[in-house]
Amino acid sequence: KNVHSANFPSLFLLVFILHFVEGQITAIQDVSSSLPKPPRLLPTRTSPEKHAYSEEGVEVLPPSDVDIEQQLDAFEHADKDANMYKGAVLSPGVRPLPSAHISPGMNADAKPLKISGRGSVNNSTQHLQLPPIKETIVCGGLAKCPLNVLQKATPASVRLSPYPHLVLYPALPWPVYNRLAKAFPPDKTVVQLSKRGKIYLPNARYDIDGKTAASSSKRIHPLWAKYLSFHSSPTFFGEVVRVFGSAIRQHRPDVEFFFNKSLDSMRPALRGHQDTSTDIILDAQVGINTPVTRVGSTRGPHYDRLTELYAGLLYFRDDRDKSSGGALRVYECLGQCKEIPRREKRALGMSMKHNHEHFDPKKVRVVSSVPYKKNTFVMFINSFTSVHGVTPRSVTSFSRRLSNIIGEVTKRTLGRYGEFQGKILG
């Protein structure tokens, strides 16, 4: 009896300790289940590997169109406040976190917002609440950003002859491209918001620039606004330097020479927001060449103005468009490139339209032709010898739809280009 009485306090203490430990384990499990799961970063490019691999301690899985679609759903119909999303880019496949790293258009409990009717957002749908975003959100490396037209490009993608250029197909993941194509602004909107909106001409070029698009949220789809914002950002300029840096230094040595700084240290800014410290002016546009009433070329052999450092075109051909032409031609001069003065053009049978063509078509040869094909991206470094043109378009009721991405040096160096035009640029 005395032995049992002596053991009773010990047994009671043991039961109490076990009960306490069980309660703590339950509490820890409850807390763990409420925490967000680690982010899953998905490479944009399709990879045959099925296994996961590690990148800076974060689980990385093979790409999934479903994940991209889900993020696009949430992103497209999120709050459209311009200040909240300024400078941010989509994060492909990243599960949102309750912190400053949250993906634009999503929160910790975000679900895709539904669309009512044809392209109209249901105003009764609850908007997603996001913290203000001041800096560009880079989704674990630019190669994984689904909006980035250079996500598949490397310096090895650049063709150096007859001048630096590259062609990518498909340029964007198809879920992203299809969303952009579906939301492409109507011709009427493009014409009205362009700088020449009061005049409508057949087979003529009209563009909505990045600054105008940013201030036209009621007429430009939010996904297009984000696409244009990203491609006119310092982040994208960094992508251009990553892919074309070596080619720029070789074919446009005047840029680093006159600014007396490397490409990596130059200060880019969106057109319309530049100041005296700006080196590179960026712009991304959505545009069209209007329907054709009679066969004719959009532009003959020409080079772009020499303030332009680079130009890129992403095509959004309508599936119903069965017309021919509209391809971008890459030319090479036969001998030295010689621009024909306007007074001599008529005698050579050249077009007299302003800036339609700069070179005698008989003095250049076609090196390659980039078809007007959906989700095809072509980009080149501009110089006096970057001769290109567009093949004649057949009669059609469809516009030639595209996005134009450009970077220009500031005009303060314009007067010096003449020295390089002959001595360095060819």
Side-chain angles (χ1 to χ4, degrees):
K1 179 177 180 182
N2 293 335
V3 173
H4 288 294
S5 300
N7 290 338
F8 181 76
S10 299
L11 291 174
F12 178 80
L13 179 62
L14 179 61
V15 171
F16 175 79
I17 292 174
L18 291 176
H19 181 72
F20 175 78
V21 171
E22 182 181 3
Q24 292 299 311
I25 293 175
T26 302
I28 293 173
Q29 290 176 341
D30 292 340
V31 173
S32 299
S33 62
S34 65
L35 292 176
K37 296 181 179 180
R40 295 165 53 238
L41 300 181
L42 301 179
T44 301
R45 284 173 282 187
T46 303
S47 172
E49 291 84 1
K50 299 299 181 182
H51 60 278
Y53 58 95
S54 177
E55 179 177 309
E56 298 180 355
V58 180
E59 182 186 13
V60 181
L61 301 176
S64 168
D65 287 351
V66 175
D67 286 331
I68 296 177
E69 288 277 10
Q70 289 176 347
Q71 284 225 350
L72 291 176
D73 279 337
F75 167 74
E76 285 183 358
H77 315 304
D79 194 296
K80 300 179 182 179
D81 182 74
N83 293 325
M84 182 174 291
Y85 300 110
K86 185 177 181 181
V89 297
L90 274 174
S91 303
V94 178
R95 293 186 179 181
L97 302 174
S99 69
H101 300 290
I102 193 167
S103 303
M106 300 188 74
N107 62 17
D109 301 314
K111 295 182 179 179
L113 303 184
K114 297 181 180 180
I115 299 179
S116 62
R118 298 184 60 184
S120 61
V121 178
N122 188 341
N123 293 328
S124 63
T125 305
Q126 183 179 1
H127 283 215
L128 303 178
Q129 300 299 318
L130 298 176
I133 299 173
K134 296 181 180 180
E135 301 296 333
T136 297
I137 294 180
V138 180
C139 39
L142 282 171
K144 301 180 183 68
C145 291
L147 295 176
N148 182 10
V149 293
L150 290 178
Q151 61 190 266
K152 298 180 180 180
T154 67
S157 307
V158 180
R159 308 173 188 177
L160 297 177
S161 180
Y163 50 84
H165 67 286
L166 63 74
V167 180
L168 300 173
Y169 174 84
L172 295 176
W174 284 108
V176 178
Y177 171 84
N178 290 335
R179 292 292 184 93
L180 287 168
K182 186 176 181 180
F184 199 95
D187 287 3
K188 182 178 179 180
T189 299
V190 177
V191 172
Q192 290 178 344
L193 293 181
S194 69
K195 293 182 179 180
R196 51 191 297 191
K198 294 183 179 180
I199 303 175
Y200 180 87
L201 299 172
N203 198 18
R205 179 70 171 270
Y206 296 85
D207 295 288
I208 303 175
D209 59 43
K211 183 180 179 181
T212 301
S215 61
S216 305
S217 59
K218 292 184 178 180
R219 305 186 68 181
I220 302 297
H221 194 280
L223 188 60
W224 264 104
K226 186 56 56 186
Y227 168 91
L228 298 177
S229 174
F230 173 74
H231 289 99
S232 55
S233 69
T235 304
F236 180 72
F237 179 71
E239 277 290 84
V240 175
V241 174
R242 176 182 68 83
V243 176
F244 283 98
S246 177
I248 292 174
R249 293 182 180 98
Q250 181 179 350
H251 290 261
R252 285 297 300 264
D254 57 308
V255 177
E256 288 188 331
F257 178 85
F258 283 129
F259 284 109
N260 194 29
K261 62 175 67 173
S262 67
L263 292 170
D264 297 321
S265 60
M266 290 187 178
R267 297 175 60 88
L270 173 66
R271 187 194 307 278
H273 294 277
Q274 69 269 24
D275 55 30
T276 56
S277 67
T278 302
D279 302 314
I280 305 293
I281 300 174
L282 309 176
D283 203 358
Q285 307 164 343
V286 54
I288 59 172
N289 291 105
T290 51
V292 180
T293 55
R294 61 188 181 93
V295 178
S297 172
T298 304
R299 289 195 72 177
H302 69 282
Y303 65 91
D304 295 343
R305 57 183 180 178
L306 290 175
T307 49
E308 182 181 275
L309 177 59
Y310 63 81
L313 293 172
L314 178 62
Y315 293 137
F316 288 86
R317 181 169 188 151
D318 193 301
D319 290 334
R320 299 167 296 172
D321 184 1
K322 306 302 180 183
S323 63
S324 61
L328 183 85
R329 278 181 173 170
V330 175
Y331 291 102
E332 181 179 36
C333 294
L334 300 176
Q336 185 177 5
C337 290
K338 181 182 178 182
E339 184 174 359
I340 305 300
R342 180 176 174 81
R343 62 180 180 275
E344 300 177 14
K345 289 183 177 181
R346 190 180 300 277
L348 295 172
M350 296 173 60
S351 172
M352 297 299 293
K353 289 177 60 177
H354 178 66
N355 274 342
H356 180 78
E357 52 189 358
H358 298 144
F359 304 93
D360 184 350
K362 304 181 187 68
K363 299 295 183 180
V364 297
R365 73 178 185 91
V366 178
V367 175
S368 62
S369 185
V370 182
Y372 172 51
K373 181 179 180 180
K374 66 178 183 180
N375 207 4
T376 298
F377 180 68
V378 56
M379 190 172 191
F380 62 90
I381 301 304
N382 186 53
S383 73
F384 181 69
T385 59
S386 300
V387 186
H388 57 284
V390 180
T391 58
R393 299 171 61 205
S394 63
V395 174
T396 177
S397 59
F398 290 93
S399 291
R400 178 173 176 258
R401 307 191 308 174
L402 52 86
S403 170
N404 187 34
I405 301 171
I406 55 178
E408 300 178 347
V409 296
T410 49
K411 292 185 178 181
R412 62 189 179 195
T413 62
L414 179 60
R416 296 171 173 172
Y417 275 105
E419 303 171 21
F420 281 82
Q421 184 168 312
K423 294 180 181 180
I424 295 183
L425 298 182

